Short mmCIF file of all heavy atoms in Angstrom, two decimals:
data_model
loop_
_atom_site.label_atom_id
_atom_site.label_comp_id
_atom_site.label_asym_id
_atom_site.label_seq_id
_atom_site.Cartn_x
_atom_site.Cartn_y
_atom_site.Cartn_z
N PRO A 1 -25.12 -7.08 16.18
CA PRO A 1 -23.91 -7.89 15.96
C PRO A 1 -22.98 -7.31 14.91
O PRO A 1 -21.77 -7.55 14.95
CB PRO A 1 -24.47 -9.25 15.52
CG PRO A 1 -25.83 -8.96 15.00
CD PRO A 1 -26.34 -7.81 15.82
N MET A 2 -23.50 -6.54 13.96
CA MET A 2 -22.64 -6.00 12.91
C MET A 2 -21.67 -4.96 13.47
O MET A 2 -20.57 -4.79 12.96
CB MET A 2 -23.47 -5.39 11.79
CG MET A 2 -22.71 -5.25 10.47
SD MET A 2 -22.03 -6.82 9.91
CE MET A 2 -20.86 -6.26 8.67
N THR A 3 -22.07 -4.25 14.53
CA THR A 3 -21.16 -3.29 15.14
C THR A 3 -20.37 -3.92 16.28
O THR A 3 -19.41 -3.32 16.77
CB THR A 3 -21.94 -2.08 15.69
OG1 THR A 3 -22.91 -2.53 16.65
CG2 THR A 3 -22.67 -1.35 14.57
N SER A 4 -20.74 -5.11 16.71
CA SER A 4 -20.02 -5.78 17.80
C SER A 4 -18.93 -6.71 17.27
O SER A 4 -17.91 -6.93 17.93
CB SER A 4 -21.00 -6.59 18.65
OG SER A 4 -22.01 -5.77 19.18
N LEU A 5 -19.15 -7.28 16.08
CA LEU A 5 -18.13 -8.12 15.46
C LEU A 5 -17.17 -7.24 14.67
O LEU A 5 -17.57 -6.26 14.06
CB LEU A 5 -18.79 -9.13 14.52
CG LEU A 5 -19.67 -10.19 15.19
CD1 LEU A 5 -20.47 -10.95 14.14
CD2 LEU A 5 -18.84 -11.15 16.02
N ASN A 6 -15.90 -7.59 14.70
CA ASN A 6 -14.89 -6.82 13.97
C ASN A 6 -14.99 -7.16 12.48
O ASN A 6 -14.75 -8.31 12.09
CB ASN A 6 -13.50 -7.17 14.50
CG ASN A 6 -12.43 -6.24 13.95
OD1 ASN A 6 -12.49 -5.80 12.82
ND2 ASN A 6 -11.43 -5.95 14.77
N PRO A 7 -15.32 -6.19 11.64
CA PRO A 7 -15.51 -6.50 10.22
C PRO A 7 -14.22 -6.88 9.49
O PRO A 7 -14.26 -7.43 8.38
CB PRO A 7 -16.08 -5.19 9.65
CG PRO A 7 -15.59 -4.13 10.58
CD PRO A 7 -15.54 -4.77 11.94
N TYR A 8 -13.06 -6.60 10.10
CA TYR A 8 -11.78 -6.86 9.45
C TYR A 8 -11.19 -8.23 9.82
O TYR A 8 -10.17 -8.63 9.26
CB TYR A 8 -10.77 -5.77 9.81
CG TYR A 8 -11.19 -4.39 9.36
CD1 TYR A 8 -11.69 -3.47 10.28
CD2 TYR A 8 -11.13 -4.03 8.03
CE1 TYR A 8 -12.09 -2.21 9.87
CE2 TYR A 8 -11.53 -2.76 7.61
CZ TYR A 8 -12.01 -1.86 8.54
OH TYR A 8 -12.41 -0.62 8.13
N LEU A 9 -11.81 -8.91 10.77
CA LEU A 9 -11.30 -10.20 11.21
C LEU A 9 -12.26 -11.31 10.84
O LEU A 9 -13.49 -11.14 10.94
CB LEU A 9 -11.07 -10.21 12.72
CG LEU A 9 -9.99 -9.28 13.28
CD1 LEU A 9 -9.93 -9.41 14.80
CD2 LEU A 9 -8.63 -9.58 12.67
N ARG A 10 -11.70 -12.45 10.46
CA ARG A 10 -12.54 -13.62 10.20
C ARG A 10 -13.21 -14.05 11.48
O ARG A 10 -12.69 -13.87 12.58
CB ARG A 10 -11.70 -14.76 9.63
CG ARG A 10 -11.04 -14.43 8.29
CD ARG A 10 -10.22 -15.61 7.80
NE ARG A 10 -9.42 -15.25 6.64
CZ ARG A 10 -9.86 -15.27 5.38
NH1 ARG A 10 -11.11 -15.66 5.14
NH2 ARG A 10 -9.07 -14.92 4.39
N VAL A 11 -14.39 -14.66 11.33
CA VAL A 11 -15.13 -15.13 12.50
C VAL A 11 -14.29 -16.12 13.30
O VAL A 11 -14.32 -16.11 14.54
CB VAL A 11 -16.46 -15.77 12.04
CG1 VAL A 11 -17.08 -16.61 13.17
CG2 VAL A 11 -17.44 -14.70 11.59
N SER A 12 -13.51 -16.96 12.63
CA SER A 12 -12.68 -17.94 13.33
C SER A 12 -11.74 -17.26 14.31
O SER A 12 -11.57 -17.72 15.45
CB SER A 12 -11.88 -18.77 12.33
OG SER A 12 -11.11 -17.93 11.48
N ARG A 13 -11.12 -16.15 13.88
CA ARG A 13 -10.19 -15.46 14.76
C ARG A 13 -10.90 -14.85 15.95
O ARG A 13 -10.41 -14.89 17.10
CB ARG A 13 -9.44 -14.36 13.99
CG ARG A 13 -8.43 -13.60 14.83
CD ARG A 13 -7.41 -14.55 15.43
NE ARG A 13 -6.58 -13.92 16.46
CZ ARG A 13 -6.14 -14.54 17.54
NH1 ARG A 13 -6.47 -15.81 17.76
NH2 ARG A 13 -5.40 -13.92 18.40
N GLN A 14 -12.09 -14.29 15.73
CA GLN A 14 -12.82 -13.64 16.82
C GLN A 14 -13.31 -14.66 17.85
O GLN A 14 -13.39 -14.36 19.04
CB GLN A 14 -13.98 -12.82 16.25
CG GLN A 14 -13.49 -11.71 15.32
CD GLN A 14 -14.59 -10.81 14.84
OE1 GLN A 14 -15.28 -10.17 15.64
NE2 GLN A 14 -14.77 -10.72 13.52
N LEU A 15 -13.62 -15.87 17.40
CA LEU A 15 -14.07 -16.92 18.32
C LEU A 15 -12.90 -17.56 19.07
O LEU A 15 -12.95 -17.75 20.28
CB LEU A 15 -14.85 -17.98 17.57
CG LEU A 15 -16.22 -17.55 17.00
CD1 LEU A 15 -16.79 -18.66 16.13
CD2 LEU A 15 -17.18 -17.21 18.12
N THR A 16 -11.85 -17.89 18.35
CA THR A 16 -10.73 -18.58 19.00
C THR A 16 -10.00 -17.68 19.99
O THR A 16 -9.46 -18.15 20.99
CB THR A 16 -9.72 -19.09 17.95
OG1 THR A 16 -9.27 -17.99 17.14
CG2 THR A 16 -10.37 -20.14 17.05
N GLU A 17 -10.01 -16.38 19.72
CA GLU A 17 -9.36 -15.44 20.64
C GLU A 17 -9.96 -15.51 22.03
O GLU A 17 -9.24 -15.39 23.04
CB GLU A 17 -9.49 -14.02 20.09
CG GLU A 17 -8.73 -12.97 20.89
CD GLU A 17 -8.86 -11.60 20.28
OE1 GLU A 17 -9.99 -11.23 19.88
OE2 GLU A 17 -7.84 -10.89 20.18
N VAL A 18 -11.28 -15.72 22.12
CA VAL A 18 -11.96 -15.82 23.41
C VAL A 18 -11.39 -16.99 24.22
O VAL A 18 -11.08 -16.86 25.41
CB VAL A 18 -13.48 -15.99 23.21
CG1 VAL A 18 -14.18 -16.25 24.55
CG2 VAL A 18 -14.07 -14.77 22.52
N LEU A 19 -11.25 -18.14 23.58
CA LEU A 19 -10.76 -19.34 24.26
C LEU A 19 -9.27 -19.25 24.58
O LEU A 19 -8.82 -19.70 25.63
CB LEU A 19 -11.05 -20.57 23.41
CG LEU A 19 -12.53 -20.90 23.23
CD1 LEU A 19 -12.74 -21.92 22.13
CD2 LEU A 19 -13.13 -21.39 24.54
N GLU A 20 -8.50 -18.68 23.68
CA GLU A 20 -7.07 -18.54 23.92
C GLU A 20 -6.80 -17.57 25.08
O GLU A 20 -5.92 -17.80 25.91
CB GLU A 20 -6.37 -18.06 22.65
CG GLU A 20 -6.38 -19.10 21.53
CD GLU A 20 -5.88 -18.52 20.22
OE1 GLU A 20 -5.32 -17.40 20.24
OE2 GLU A 20 -6.04 -19.18 19.17
N LEU A 21 -7.59 -16.51 25.15
CA LEU A 21 -7.41 -15.50 26.18
C LEU A 21 -7.87 -15.98 27.55
O LEU A 21 -7.15 -15.86 28.54
CB LEU A 21 -8.16 -14.22 25.80
CG LEU A 21 -8.17 -13.08 26.83
CD1 LEU A 21 -6.76 -12.56 27.04
CD2 LEU A 21 -9.11 -11.96 26.40
N HIS A 22 -9.07 -16.56 27.61
CA HIS A 22 -9.66 -16.90 28.91
C HIS A 22 -9.29 -18.28 29.41
O HIS A 22 -9.26 -18.52 30.63
CB HIS A 22 -11.19 -16.78 28.84
CG HIS A 22 -11.67 -15.37 28.74
ND1 HIS A 22 -11.44 -14.42 29.71
CD2 HIS A 22 -12.38 -14.73 27.76
CE1 HIS A 22 -11.99 -13.27 29.36
NE2 HIS A 22 -12.56 -13.44 28.17
N GLU A 23 -9.04 -19.22 28.51
CA GLU A 23 -8.79 -20.59 28.95
C GLU A 23 -7.41 -21.12 28.55
O GLU A 23 -7.08 -22.26 28.85
CB GLU A 23 -9.89 -21.51 28.40
CG GLU A 23 -11.28 -21.16 28.92
CD GLU A 23 -12.32 -22.18 28.52
OE1 GLU A 23 -11.96 -23.19 27.87
OE2 GLU A 23 -13.50 -21.98 28.88
N GLY A 24 -6.63 -20.31 27.86
CA GLY A 24 -5.30 -20.75 27.45
C GLY A 24 -5.32 -21.89 26.45
O GLY A 24 -4.37 -22.69 26.38
N ALA A 25 -6.38 -21.99 25.66
CA ALA A 25 -6.50 -23.08 24.68
C ALA A 25 -5.49 -22.89 23.55
O ALA A 25 -5.14 -21.77 23.18
CB ALA A 25 -7.92 -23.11 24.11
N THR A 26 -5.02 -24.00 23.01
CA THR A 26 -4.13 -23.94 21.86
C THR A 26 -4.94 -23.51 20.63
O THR A 26 -6.17 -23.69 20.60
CB THR A 26 -3.49 -25.30 21.58
OG1 THR A 26 -4.52 -26.24 21.23
CG2 THR A 26 -2.73 -25.81 22.81
N PRO A 27 -4.30 -22.95 19.62
CA PRO A 27 -5.04 -22.53 18.42
C PRO A 27 -5.86 -23.65 17.78
O PRO A 27 -7.01 -23.43 17.38
CB PRO A 27 -3.93 -22.05 17.48
CG PRO A 27 -2.86 -21.58 18.40
CD PRO A 27 -2.88 -22.53 19.56
N SER A 28 -5.32 -24.87 17.74
CA SER A 28 -6.06 -25.97 17.12
C SER A 28 -7.26 -26.38 17.97
O SER A 28 -8.35 -26.64 17.44
CB SER A 28 -5.13 -27.17 16.90
OG SER A 28 -4.58 -27.62 18.13
N ALA A 29 -7.06 -26.42 19.29
CA ALA A 29 -8.17 -26.79 20.18
C ALA A 29 -9.24 -25.71 20.17
O ALA A 29 -10.45 -26.01 20.17
CB ALA A 29 -7.65 -27.01 21.60
N ALA A 30 -8.83 -24.44 20.14
CA ALA A 30 -9.78 -23.34 20.11
C ALA A 30 -10.59 -23.36 18.82
O ALA A 30 -11.81 -23.14 18.84
CB ALA A 30 -9.04 -22.01 20.26
N ARG A 31 -9.94 -23.66 17.71
CA ARG A 31 -10.65 -23.71 16.43
C ARG A 31 -11.66 -24.84 16.43
O ARG A 31 -12.80 -24.68 15.97
CB ARG A 31 -9.65 -23.91 15.29
CG ARG A 31 -10.31 -23.95 13.91
CD ARG A 31 -9.27 -24.16 12.81
NE ARG A 31 -9.91 -24.29 11.51
CZ ARG A 31 -10.29 -23.28 10.75
NH1 ARG A 31 -10.09 -22.04 11.16
NH2 ARG A 31 -10.86 -23.48 9.58
N ARG A 32 -11.28 -25.99 16.97
CA ARG A 32 -12.18 -27.13 17.02
C ARG A 32 -13.43 -26.79 17.85
O ARG A 32 -14.57 -27.09 17.45
CB ARG A 32 -11.45 -28.34 17.62
CG ARG A 32 -12.27 -29.62 17.60
CD ARG A 32 -11.40 -30.83 17.89
NE ARG A 32 -10.69 -30.71 19.16
CZ ARG A 32 -9.39 -30.49 19.28
NH1 ARG A 32 -8.63 -30.36 18.20
NH2 ARG A 32 -8.80 -30.40 20.47
N ARG A 33 -13.22 -26.16 18.99
CA ARG A 33 -14.36 -25.80 19.85
C ARG A 33 -15.21 -24.71 19.20
O ARG A 33 -16.44 -24.69 19.36
CB ARG A 33 -13.86 -25.35 21.22
CG ARG A 33 -13.44 -26.53 22.10
CD ARG A 33 -13.00 -26.09 23.47
NE ARG A 33 -14.01 -25.31 24.17
CZ ARG A 33 -13.81 -24.75 25.37
NH1 ARG A 33 -12.63 -24.91 25.97
NH2 ARG A 33 -14.75 -24.07 25.96
#
């Protein structure tokens, strides 16, 4: 996981990006999930 996670980005950004990209979630909804 240390080489798979981007060390320069917060975990919140790496998680919310998945939902925003694949499901079109809003930033607030993606953060909540």
Side-chain angles (χ1 to χ4, degrees):
M2 200 55 195
T3 59
S4 302
L5 294 169
N6 190 325
Y8 299 104
L9 294 179
R10 298 180 189 275
V11 165
S12 55
R13 181 58 192 144
Q14 299 185 59
L15 292 173
T16 57
E17 186 178 44
V18 174
L19 294 167
E20 293 171 12
L21 175 65
H22 289 298
E23 298 188 1
T26 64
S28 60
R31 181 181 176 84
R32 185 167 56 252
R33 283 182 56 184

